[in-house]
Amino acid sequence: PPFRTMLSRLATQQCRGLAHSAKNVSRFQGGGSRFAQQTGFNVRAGPTLKERLLGPTTGKPFLYGSYALAGASVLGVGALAFYGMGMSKERSIMQESATWPQYVRDRLTSTYGYLTASLGVTAASAVAASRSAAIMRLTAGGGLMTMFATLAAIIATGTIARSIPYDNTMAKHLAWLVHSGVMGAVLAPMCFMGGPVLVRAAWYTAGIVAGLSTVAMTAPSEKFLMMAGPLAMGMGVVFVANIGMFFLPPASAAGAGLASIVIYGGLILFSAFLLYDTQRVVKQASMYPHKDQFRGYGYEGMEMKSFDPINAQMSIYMDVLNIFIRLAMIMGGMNGKRK
């Protein structure tokens, strides 16, 4: 802001200096083209870049975002058809699952069981928190400090839940329930969108998750594990855009552009994260050592940590929630336009 103020003052002084000379003004008014040729001074036509960015939006950022989302959807359907019909020459996870031992299947079943339970606890917590005036005042503030406070609560409870070993059954499950409950409290303001919007967003989320999970299972086993670098960079872009929305008017062109990145770009990003995390969880479940593998080698008395399905499902859990949030925002905006 000080730098912008200094530039505006310099521009104002220069304009006053030009206007102070009646001779220059008359020349400028009488023969603009000759004045421009002799002095090289041209009159600015149209708004500046700053005025365009802070001016009212035309809605094009959201239109471009919907185009990008449509392109990503076509790409996802194409990948589902390609890998689903077995056109890939590499072996898929589904093909390799025929040789899995039973404990790998049990690990994946437990992981997705905890994922379903996490989503259920979060939904119940969101409904309960929406009926508490005190919690709603804390989570529905909408300011930058509220965002950082809720983000800190999510990170803190998630870190504690991940750090407790799965063998410590009571403490592990308690921390997991607290984390899922905190996520529900953070999402409680979304209940103001209305039940029909949230139910429709939930069904769309279920369809997207089912389709992308099928793509991940029918694709080569490590096809999407190579996307870690681009996904991390995309996450940085969405996070910075999310913070930038607090400093720009939402009705401005720049604010609408950042909102489009957060909503549409975030939906595409977390859909890609779901592909990555699904294959990562499957690989982790199949590669994590099992005590039966060490029988007969003198390691029977060695202590070995159990596979942690709660930790394994947390990344997919966050992907599903982020997809649901953005679908609800898109559908809520559509309802607003219809009204």
Side-chain angles (χ1 to χ4, degrees), residues 224-238:
F224 300 114
L225 294 180
M226 297 178 288
M227 300 192 307
L231 289 177
M233 291 186 289
M235 175 66 80
V237 172
V238 172

Side-chain angles (χ1 to χ4, degrees), residues 149-169:
T150 55
L151 186 62
I154 293 171
I155 294 175
T157 55
T159 302
I160 293 173
R162 287 176 180 272
S163 63
I164 300 175
Y166 185 68
D167 296 324
N168 192 351
T169 306

